[in-house]
Amino acid sequence: MAGHGEIGRWFTAAREVRVGAHAYQFVLAAFDAGRVRAVAPPAFEAVEAVLGSYGAVDEFSRTQRSIGSAELLRDLRLGVSPAGEHRAWRRMAEFGFTPYAPLRLAVCTDAAGDRLAPEAVAALADAAGVAELPMLALEASGEGETELLLALPAESARGGLAAALAGSGEREEPGEREAEGAADVAATPSVIAGLSAAFDQLTRVPEAVRTARTAAEVARRRVPGRAEEGQAGAPAVIAAEDLTPAEWLLAANRARAGQEALTGFVAPLSEHPELRETLIVYLRSRLTVSSTAAQLLVHENTVRYRLRRIEELLGESLSDPLTLTNLCLSLYPEVSRQRHTDL
């Protein structure tokens, strides 16, 4: 909204003034058109100057608060002794946290495991502020990548974080969105967030960081190919209690020997892609021959024959619960993919 106009007997002048991410609409009105034209330019300039000064002060305050937030979370991440916990809670109270109330830690990256853009981090902080969600934020290096580490009140962590992440995605300028086109906007990868279990002792922050990082890893595995396929979708927020035992085991198994053991268990099927595919579909189908046959578009007897061949190659029985457990672990990404495609 900008320019001159008339409303009944009133002559008006309007201008939009932008300060940072905020836009303000100002309108002057008078019965004398000449007076409006004469007064409007210096009046609007004065308003812009005042708001600009306010914006600079506000930005400085936000920067100082962001620095303090990062310093506090960095100290907590390094570990707080039981003797220093009371002082740490006092510092937490300065950022809106209730002392000794349960917390959750969150680790955020994009769907490919890369760091979030600075604009996305700033927008997330703004969205949390609008929602009055207490939050500490720190960009930290963790296990080969740069991640955004957050501390949030446990009672509102899941819903509040999801809403803040969604709100941060809506902060993009409309003009930029139109200029880039729908295809480019859709190619923006989703945000992945892993939440730790709730805790109320600050001495447990280092453990909570590891738990949140594991949840974020699992979340990325549950949305395979999103970044490559250009699917933005809603932010994926996965809490520690959402993880299955198999996901915990696989996430903890980062050693090369452990990975080789998993792949080695099904290695005899590597030269028989049709058998491997049959086994994966069979496990997905809860060991139902008819469902497996329907999905593969083959006769049920063909499935039974292939299952016998799989048993021969593996030297294991598919009726043995331990064998099925090992197969599910070895083939977990493929077996579980269908279950989590709608995450």
Side-chain angles (χ1 to χ4, degrees):
M1 179 179 178
H4 297 271
E6 296 182 32
I7 302 176
R9 297 174 57 194
W10 294 88
F11 295 92
T12 64
R15 180 181 297 181
E16 179 181 86
V17 178
R18 300 189 70 87
V19 179
H22 303 283
Y24 303 90
Q25 304 288 342
F26 288 91
V27 179
L28 289 177
F31 291 123
D32 187 336
R35 181 178 295 274
V36 170
R37 291 190 178 91
V39 172
F44 287 142
E45 289 176 7
V47 167
E48 287 185 1
V50 171
L51 286 177
S53 299
Y54 173 79
V57 172
D58 182 58
E59 183 64 27
F60 177 77
S61 175
R62 289 174 55 194
T63 300
Q64 292 299 106
R65 187 174 180 83
S66 175
I67 292 173
S69 165
E71 288 178 347
L72 174 53
L73 191 49
R74 185 179 297 111
D75 291 344
L76 295 175
R77 181 176 177 239
L78 293 174
V80 175
S81 67
E85 185 162 355
H86 181 67
R87 179 174 176 274
W89 274 116
R90 286 207 309 269
R91 293 174 65 189
M92 294 282 288
E94 296 174 6
F95 293 90
F97 290 87
T98 302
Y100 301 99
L103 304 172
R104 283 184 187 258
L105 265 290
V107 166
C108 301
T109 68
D110 70 14
D114 298 324
R115 68 185 300 173
L116 298 179
E119 296 80 6
V121 177
L124 173 60
D126 287 346
V130 170
E132 298 184 348
L133 176 68
M135 184 177 75
L136 300 181
L138 168 67
E139 284 198 277
S141 297
E143 304 198 359
E145 60 189 28
T146 300
E147 59 199 13
L148 178 64
L149 183 62
L150 306 175
L152 305 150
E155 63 180 3
S156 56
R158 186 194 290 265
L161 179 58
L165 288 171
S168 68
E170 296 170 357
R171 290 289 305 280
E172 188 178 1
E173 295 293 335
E176 294 177 3
R177 190 176 292 267
E178 293 171 4
E180 291 175 358
D184 290 337
V185 173
T188 304
S190 303
V191 176
I192 297 296
L195 279 174
S196 73
F199 62 96
D200 58 8
Q201 296 177 334
L202 297 182
T203 54
R204 296 180 57 189
V205 167
E207 174 191 349
V209 172
R210 292 190 293 271
T211 302
R213 188 176 294 137
T214 297
E217 279 185 28
V218 171
R220 288 196 293 272
R221 292 175 184 173
R222 287 189 181 184
V223 285
R226 260 190 176 178
E228 292 81 357
E229 296 171 7
Q231 298 181 26
V237 180
I238 303 297
E241 60 267 25
D242 299 330
L243 274 59
T244 66
E247 287 170 329
W248 276 110
L249 288 171
L250 292 171
N253 181 33
R254 297 187 180 93
R256 180 176 178 180
Q259 295 295 328
E260 290 176 348
L262 289 173
T263 58
F265 192 78
V266 292
L269 303 181
S270 59
E271 297 181 1
H272 304 275
E274 78 287 352
L275 297 183
R276 182 185 176 92
E277 181 187 18
T278 298
L279 178 58
I280 291 170
V281 175
Y282 181 65
L283 294 173
R284 281 182 182 171
S285 303
R286 295 177 172 84
L287 314 183
T288 305
V289 170
S290 59
S291 176
T292 304
Q295 292 182 60
L296 295 175
L297 302 177
V298 299
H299 195 277
E300 292 183 15
N301 286 339
T302 301
V303 173
R304 294 188 181 95
Y305 168 76
R306 291 180 181 180
L307 294 178
R308 288 195 297 270
R309 285 285 293 136
I310 291 170
E311 289 181 323
E312 292 172 2
L313 289 170
L314 295 179
E316 303 282 351
S317 170
L318 294 181
S319 62
D320 185 342
L322 290 179
T323 298
L324 293 173
T325 299
N326 289 328
L327 287 172
C328 286
L329 289 173
S330 299
L331 299 170
Y332 191 81
E334 296 97 326
V335 172
S336 64
R337 184 166 298 165
Q338 188 177 32
R339 179 177 299 176
H340 300 306
T341 51
D342 297 326
L343 179 66

